[in-house]
Amino acid sequence: MTTIETPERQEPALDAEELSMLVGWLEYHRETLALKCAGLTDEQLRTASMPPSGLTLMGLMRHMSEVEQHWFSNVFGGEQGAPHYFTDEDPDGDFHVGPEDTFEEALATWHGEIAKARVHAEGHALDELSAGTARGGQHFNLRWIYTHMIEEYARHNGHADLLREGVDGSIGD
């Protein structure tokens, strides 16, 4: 039985300059996802608690690993990292969690991609354009990437709220 401890979550500063504000909100939402998964077993984290949806908390964390890698490593950093969970044959593989999948692995992958994201963003100005491009060939500035990542986490943390409530009745932000 794998469970994670309840992480500490820091409220974003109320008066920070733009970069610190964006980083603060992104970290807040990363910590929120970890909080939604804390204290649950692998079985609970694989539970699709809102039928007919197959969405799970473990699937959300795996998805966010892919999103972190895509935007910070592949797009901003210009790397060509292979996806962790999805394939051409299963483009939603990050969400397709099987009985053999463990939260320990999903959490380690997510933490690894967050660490890489921090390295790729460190020391760069918000107006700096990405070294790589997204599927449409566009370059993105770091400000856009931070804003998108905050939006992505916020949306999925709303899903995580409902999933967690369905798994064990826990509510809260």
Side-chain angles (χ1 to χ4, degrees):
M1 174 168 107
T2 301
T3 61
I4 62 170
E5 294 181 23
T6 303
E8 293 293 318
R9 183 172 63 173
Q10 300 294 315
E11 293 286 329
L14 301 175
D15 58 354
E17 49 78 34
E18 185 180 15
L19 177 59
S20 295
M21 184 72 68
L22 291 170
V23 170
W25 275 107
L26 180 54
E27 292 298 333
Y28 177 85
H29 281 292
R30 287 169 171 160
E31 293 160 0
T32 298
L33 181 58
L35 279 170
K36 292 298 169 184
C37 297
L40 298 176
T41 65
D42 279 14
E43 182 180 340
Q44 290 171 311
L45 291 160
R46 285 191 294 265
T47 300
S49 64
M50 302 299 292
S53 172
L55 194 60
T56 67
L57 288 164
M58 191 183 304
L60 283 176
M61 184 159 287
R62 288 165 40 125
H63 174 67
M64 292 313 300
S65 296
E66 299 285 18
V67 173
E68 292 273 1
Q69 178 190 44
H70 174 74
W71 285 107
F72 284 105
S73 295
N74 296 357
V75 174
F76 193 73
E79 294 180 359
Q80 299 300 314
H84 296 283
Y85 303 109
F86 69 86
T87 63
D88 289 339
E89 297 78 32
D90 187 5
D92 290 326
D94 42 350
F95 292 116
H96 298 153
V97 178
E100 71 285 352
D101 294 314
T102 67
F103 191 67
E104 182 177 8
E105 183 281 326
L107 184 65
T109 300
W110 184 62
H111 281 151
E113 288 305 332
I114 289 171
K116 288 182 204 172
R118 290 178 181 139
V119 168
H120 280 294
E122 187 176 347
H124 293 280
L126 290 173
D127 290 329
E128 188 171 334
L129 289 177
S130 61
T133 61
R135 288 169 235 166
Q138 312 94 324
H139 291 272
F140 294 82
N141 69 25
L142 186 57
R143 178 182 292 103
W144 190 97
I145 292 170
Y146 273 124
T147 303
H148 175 67
M149 290 298 296
I150 292 165
E151 174 273 329
E152 182 89 6
Y153 270 101
R155 181 166 39 95
H156 288 312
N157 283 338
H159 298 137
D161 284 339
L162 294 171
L163 291 167
R164 179 65 189 249
E165 185 176 1
V167 167
D168 73 350
S170 294
I171 58 171
D173 58 316

